[in-house]
Amino acid sequence: MQYTAIVALAATGWRRSVLDQLRVDGWCTFATAPAGWDRRFPWRWSRRRTLAEEHDWRARSRRRSHGWTTPPREAPKLRPAVLAALYRQLRKSLEDGKNEPGAADFYFGECEMRRHDQYGTFPAERVLLTVYWALSGYGLRASRALAWLGTAMTISVMALMLWGLPADDPKPQTTGRQVEAGQGLTLTTDTPAPRNPAGALNNRITSERFEKSLRVVINSVVFRSSGQDLTTRGAYTEMASRLTEPVLLGFAVLAVRNRVKR
């Protein structure tokens, strides 16, 4: 792997004055991050364009060093904050050239370096970046956001089927009292509170309850109320679903937009 002029300029202090004016046009070759399934966690690493310095930093810091190119001894040691600045300038160059989809990998690299920067990034910001990375790959991995959305919807449907739907749909009841002729008659119509389901859990998994639970969850994704009567647990499950699942859907839409926008 050869070092480009960008690396030499960064090492000699000309990064700020030159990279601000850099233009990346046409066909350019960058190093790529290793892709494949992670050995420790059940997710797949996507291939993206990277700088040689990120390979050097990851190999030296032993952060998933497998697949990252080992740097030569004379290579300068750059901190994550410096790499974040390099990625930021390259991203800006492509965005100024109206190539925003092409700048996505450099935005990913910038966020990665900020997330791993233990000195220049506040802990709360690092936690926020970690959550953003895990849920949607910094708004660039639609498949990751959709996978989380599918998982959240599955959990919500199962929770509603087992505990959220009442044993029977409450039916309005009209009550009153018998009066003598000539007296006023008062009638009261009320709907009983939903009764919690009873019995074995496997008996609650039916096609009818699944259809009702799925309708509630789908309406929650688009932030609508289904109008279905729910138990107390079901009401809280629906509220949690309406708060989290639209956000995951928004992450997926954002990731697709970042890859295709003009």
Side-chain angles (χ1 to χ4, degrees), residues 84 108 112 163 222 247:
F108 193 102
E112 276 286 276
W163 303 287
V222 295
V247 174

Side-chain angles (χ1 to χ4, degrees), residues 98-101 257-262:
K98 306 302 180 182
N99 186 12
E100 295 185 357
R257 180 180 180 274
N258 286 334
R259 289 295 186 177
V260 300
K261 66 180 180 180
R262 299 176 59 184

Side-chain angles (χ1 to χ4, degrees), residues 220 223 230 232-244:
S220 298
F223 213 75
L230 300 172
T232 302
R233 292 182 180 180
Y236 282 109
T237 300
E238 184 184 27
M239 285 189 291
S241 177
R242 293 179 67 181
L243 287 175
T244 58

